[in-house]
Amino acid sequence: MSLLTVWPEADPSAPLLRTAEPDAIAEALAPIGVRYERWTADQELVPGASQEQVVEAYRTEVDRITAAEGYILVDVIRLQPSDDPEWPAKAAAAREKFLSEHTHDDDEVRFFVEGAGIFYLHVDGRVFAVLCEAGDLLSVPKGITHWFDMGAEPSVAAIRFFHDEDGWVGDFTGDPISSRFPDFDTIWAGYTESAA
């Protein structure tokens, strides 16, 4: 189940909207040009599955969206907790890479197949926090300021689609806005408590 929370950019203590209804999420995001859809993500991925194995598990969906929208590069971001002593540093570095507000010269399209993460979209004086879980497809048009948080102990896998062969390239704004809003761990804790 996904969750959308919308705040005024100046006041993260006063949500304007909070909904876990997929249709309401899609309806709230459409006016800012963001596409949200629910797909099926029911393929079991083995621990340590390669990018190729993840893409192959979802070959039908990947081929459909690639053909429809002309993507030329598809890759996978997958982070799973590990007993590897280097895991905490790797997890922190991966989280930090996406945590500051940025834009792209390409659309940011993600199909979540495991775990969860939150896209924060900063548009028209508001911040839209879209908690995405397995089965969510989110397409953020190029130029929209945003950041992404997967928590202090990331557990997420998403297939990424690009029109540009360079893949993920961020243009950071330098705005510290991400530090003023509830992070993944805070939202996730409240979300799982309310779902229990």
Side-chain angles (χ1 to χ4, degrees), residues 53-140:
Q53 289 171 310
V54 175
V55 169
E56 197 54 42
Y58 289 95
R59 175 58 57 198
T60 301
E61 293 84 354
V62 168
D63 288 349
R64 179 166 37 102
I65 193 170
T66 300
E69 302 192 24
Y71 297 113
I72 62 171
L73 177 66
V74 177
D75 73 8
V76 175
I77 180 169
R78 187 174 192 216
L79 293 161
Q80 300 295 314
S82 167
D83 292 333
D84 179 347
E86 295 181 17
W87 165 248
K90 288 178 184 177
R95 182 184 191 198
E96 188 63 32
K97 177 178 180 179
F98 306 116
L99 203 50
S100 295
E101 186 184 66
H102 58 277
T103 62
H104 301 288
D105 290 334
D106 193 0
D107 299 340
E108 182 142 6
V109 182
R110 303 291 178 264
F111 172 39
F112 288 79
V113 297
E114 283 182 333
I118 300 177
F119 269 95
Y120 296 81
L121 313 169
H122 183 196
V123 183
D124 296 334
R126 294 171 292 166
V127 171
F128 299 73
V130 189
L131 189 151
C132 295
E133 293 190 278
D136 288 335
L137 173 85
L138 193 69
S139 179
V140 178

Side-chain angles (χ1 to χ4, degrees), residues 140-171:
V140 178
K142 66 181 178 180
I144 286 188
T145 52
H146 65 280
W147 65 94
F148 180 73
D149 189 5
M150 52 194 151
E153 296 183 19
S155 179
V156 64
I159 300 173
R160 309 187 304 178
F161 300 85
F162 302 96
H163 290 112
D164 188 333
E165 63 185 16
D166 290 335
W168 193 94
V169 178
D171 182 16

